[in-house]
Amino acid sequence: MNQPDTILDMGRISKAYAGVPALREVSFSCERGKVHALVGENGAGKSTLIKILGGAVQADSGEIRFKGRLFTHLTPRLSLDMGISIIYQELALNPYLTVAENIFLGREPNRAGVIQTRHLRQQAAELLGKLHVQIDPDAPVSELTVAKQQMVEIAKALSRNADLIVMDEPSAILVGEELEQLFKTIQSLVAHGVTIVYISHRLDEVFQIADTITVLKDGAVVGSRPREGLSHRELVQMMVGRSLEEVYPAPIGQRGEPVLVVDKISNARLKNISFTLHAGETLGIAGMVGSGRTELARAIFGADPISSGTITIKGRLVNHASPAHAIRNGMALVPEDRKAQGLFTALPIRQNITLPILNRLTRNGVLQSKRETQVVEDARHKLSISMANADQEAQFLSGGNQQKVVLAKWLETRPSVILMDEPTRGIDIGAKFEIYQLMRHLNEQGVAILMISSELPEVLGMSDRILVMRDGQLVGELPRETATEQAIIERATSGVEVS
Amino acid sequence: MSSIGLLQKRPFNSQRFWRQNGRLIAVYGLVVIMALIGVFFTERFLSERNLFNLLRQTAFLGVVALGQMLVVLTAGIDLSIGSLVRVSVLVSAILMSGDSNNTLPAILITLLLGAGIGFVHALLINRLNISPFIVTLASFVILRGVALTISTSPIGKASRETLLFYDQRVGPFSILFLLFVILIVTLIFVLRRTIFGRYVYAVGGNQEVARLAGIPVQRVRYGVYILCSLLASVCGLMWLSRMGVGDPVIADGLELTTITAVIIGGTSLFGGRGGVMGTIGGVLVLALLANLMVLLNVQQQYQGLIEGIVIVSSIALYNQDTH
């Protein structure tokens, strides 16, 4: 056996966004010609680490040693020139250019500025040949399947003589045999001495392709282990193995009448889902990203149509045709993507908070500024939103305060059912705690909460019951008392054996 | 320890002041500079007659620019304004045909026509999910064709009252200008103090957030497109009172001028940001520019060049403030 040849060594990398740490002294190293898997939950810091490697983001501290050269930080240009290529989930291809043009975009073989078309096609064909894929270099990229587009990205990386290729969740856009093809390509790349960093949260895949597996959690490395000798069970424990912190207020422990009854609803993304939500209860929904959790909330809220089934609130049939209907029936949705769905980032905080209740703040159609200010001030105190003033644009608030503004908006409508999709994503622990307490407070007042979350400790800590989703279906219900992270993961992922 | 308190203490305030008001300051600064050029470099700028005419002119562009602004605030656009002004002046002139008895019906029918066209715009955008650019581009072409079909030479006649209206004064001001000021005040009030106004900004700010907040996005769109087209018809009627006949060559390229005024005034073409005072500033810049070029005898072929330079530099001025 050769002695290990380390191509990349990232040492003690730290990075904070606006004071919230994303990476804490993370060390990550790769051996040349091997496949390194990087796994972890959403928000564990995988993408920040990769962005630092690609030069898109600069680390606050730490160093990067690549092919023997030492850097304190990289720029995108430098990173590319050194032979690092990153293939993001969102492929960076121009759909209207041909395969060959895309591969050599910005580096076209030319003579005096005139592109040598023949050379371009020839070189592209050679690269694609190396990857053993059947792709016409003259085909426009828009005509290719996503899997083939991914291959074009890989060819692009090779054309830059990349020594290290990072693939960010490559399997997320692939189906069936396409994944096998990708694995074959990876193996042949590795055989040629290319190093691969493979990011995924699908454990079975990681076990199939990786030589070494590094687990990130909450911005720190939990461990880095060779695949050989590592069991599924151990890996799962590495991923989730945090004890429940004392941040979750105890549940109130008694539930009231059923308020929301969902009976056999289906649509393009949901199959036959039924459950009942009681007053004063927090019902957790767990499942992998893409399992239909968000779609379920949107369907209940009337944001997406349902094709069959019924939704009943307090005994009344209310299959919502639009969010406006849902709101009138006492519902609120705190969406997953705050900036795209929950908040008007360019509008003042004041207008964000009072938007759904403007009717209550008008006299003869004219807004009563004083009453509006009163509402905003009340919300500010109740939720302890820290802001310079209410006319500040919402985009200047921290994530936690933005989320409080979204919550304030809905609390003013006095809902009886609140759907919360990733209520604490991307916010610091202090604000998280405040939101958990608010949720309990709402439960005490009889408000029913449906909480979707990818953070298992949060699901376990906050829920009275937990429903698990997979492929648009409910695949299990776990009572609070007996639920464990392993039990949830087992149900949420097919093919993972955790006995 | 929670870090929220610390995060908020950004030494931002003066910067934010400039970000929020920089556009207005820049555009009105430009207005002042241009007025000073007029005062010092021309003889007639400060004459009563010139100022009277200048303010009256701002009303013509201002009325339609405000309509355009409402649409742009919702992240839409209306390219049909010029054609609709033209159709409105033709229709109202023909209906009126110089008869005082026809004045009121002709005005009402013209306004109804405008409102109807705005309704159709919103209907197509809402129901068929076609982009505002395409819907109103089609409308622009169609209405221009309609105008050509109606007449290629001056047609119809304004009634006596309509003609007299153009020169009517209240104190030193043109009545058209005063009505324009009333429109300005009303719109400021509507945008700031009514639910509809808030909804306009919300829809433009982010349509999906608005929908999920239960806002009747489609109704808001009917509102702004109907108002915009209605104001275009109003502008057509103003032209009738000015020309006395249905002139089929007026308002050429007016939709682009309105967009220019709206942009100079700092309203974002992506919607959700901007307002009446900025747009009025943009209108003043364009009106002053046209006035100065006449007073300074700038040759026709250079006017376009100068106008282009002013547009780009006025945008560049406050873009530097924001970045």
Side-chain angles (χ1 to χ4, degrees), chain B:
Chain B
M1 187 199 76
S2 156
S3 53
I4 312 163
L6 293 175
L7 289 181
Q8 291 316 305
K9 283 182 194 150
R10 295 174 185 170
F12 233 38
N13 281 330
S14 69
Q15 268 182 5
R16 197 180 310 129
F17 176 81
W18 280 99
R19 194 194 330 265
Q20 282 175 354
N21 299 297
R23 289 150 193 255
L24 278 182
I25 293 167
V27 70
Y28 281 96
L30 201 59
V31 169
V32 170
I33 291 169
M34 292 171 75
L36 289 177
I37 291 175
V39 171
F40 291 111
F41 294 92
T42 71
E43 288 168 9
R44 281 174 294 151
F45 182 77
L46 279 181
S47 70
E48 200 262 342
R49 189 181 147 78
N50 185 58
L51 287 178
F52 180 85
N53 276 327
L54 180 64
L55 292 182
R56 192 164 56 181
Q57 288 317 307
T58 60
F60 279 78
L61 176 57
V63 164
V64 276
L66 288 174
Q68 182 73 267
M69 179 202 70
L70 285 173
V71 169
V72 172
L73 280 177
T74 65
I77 198 156
D78 190 341
L79 296 174
S80 71
I81 289 177
S83 300
L84 181 53
V85 170
R86 199 179 281 185
V87 168
S88 298
V89 76
L90 294 176
V91 167
S92 58
I94 292 169
L95 290 175
M96 225 174 261
S97 62
D99 187 341
S100 299
N101 293 325
N102 292 340
T103 307
L104 205 57
I107 290 175
L108 288 177
I109 290 171
T110 307
L111 294 179
L112 262 177
L113 173 80
I117 283 169
F119 177 82
V120 172
H121 289 161
L123 184 78
L124 292 173
I125 297 164
N126 283 340
R127 292 297 163 85
L128 302 182
N129 210 8
I130 310 176
S131 82
F133 188 96
I134 292 170
V135 167
T136 60
L137 180 66
S139 178
F140 162 77
V141 177
I142 291 169
L143 289 172
R144 195 175 52 173
V146 169
L148 280 173
T149 313
I150 294 174
S151 176
T152 52
S153 54
I155 190 173
K157 194 163 182 275
S159 63
R160 205 167 109 18
E161 295 76 19
T162 311
L163 267 174
L164 287 176
F165 192 73
Y166 183 67
D167 282 319
Q168 228 152 62
R169 288 165 180 255
V170 178
F173 297 110
S174 155
I175 189 157
L176 285 176
F177 177 70
L178 284 177
L179 289 174
F180 174 49
V181 171
I182 291 172
L183 175 70
I184 293 172
V185 174
T186 312
L187 270 184
I188 290 178
F189 181 81
V190 166
L191 285 179
R192 289 201 186 151
R193 297 290 302 276
T194 69
I195 295 180
F196 174 73
R198 287 287 174 85
Y199 284 2
V200 166
Y201 283 95
V203 170
N206 188 326
Q207 196 186 313
E208 182 64 5
V209 180
R211 193 175 76 97
L212 291 179
I215 289 173
V217 174
Q218 302 205 341
R219 249 186 287 159
V220 172
R221 207 173 272 134
Y222 279 114
V224 294
Y225 282 92
I226 288 172
L227 275 173
C228 181
S229 295
L230 190 68
L231 288 171
S233 287
V234 169
C235 185
L237 291 168
M238 288 161 65
W239 273 98
L240 178 65
S241 95
R242 175 172 173 180
M243 310 293 283
V245 291
D247 186 340
V249 298
I250 58 153
D252 196 27
L254 183 62
E255 56 287 325
L256 295 183
T257 318
T258 60
I259 293 168
T260 310
V262 167
I263 296 172
I264 292 179
T267 296
S268 164
L269 280 181
F270 302 107
R273 275 180 212 246
V276 174
M277 288 319 291
T279 302
I280 298 306
V283 169
L284 286 173
V285 166
L286 292 179
L288 273 169
L289 187 66
N291 187 246
L292 287 180
M293 287 198 288
V294 172
L295 293 180
L296 292 168
N297 288 319
V298 176
Q299 283 176 316
Q300 190 95 46
Q301 60 265 42
Y302 298 125
Q303 290 189 2
L305 179 69
I306 294 174
E307 199 176 323
I309 291 171
V310 170
I311 293 169
V312 171
S313 48
S314 71
I315 304 286
L317 211 63
Y318 58 64
N319 266 10
Q320 280 171 359
D321 283 339
T322 57
H323 292 239

Side-chain angles (χ1 to χ4, degrees), chain A residues 344-360:
Chain A
F344 298 100
T345 49
L347 291 187
I349 295 161
R350 166 198 302 276
Q351 298 190 20
N352 267 290
I353 291 178
T354 57
L355 202 68
I357 54 149
L358 288 175
N359 287 320
R360 292 215 314 259

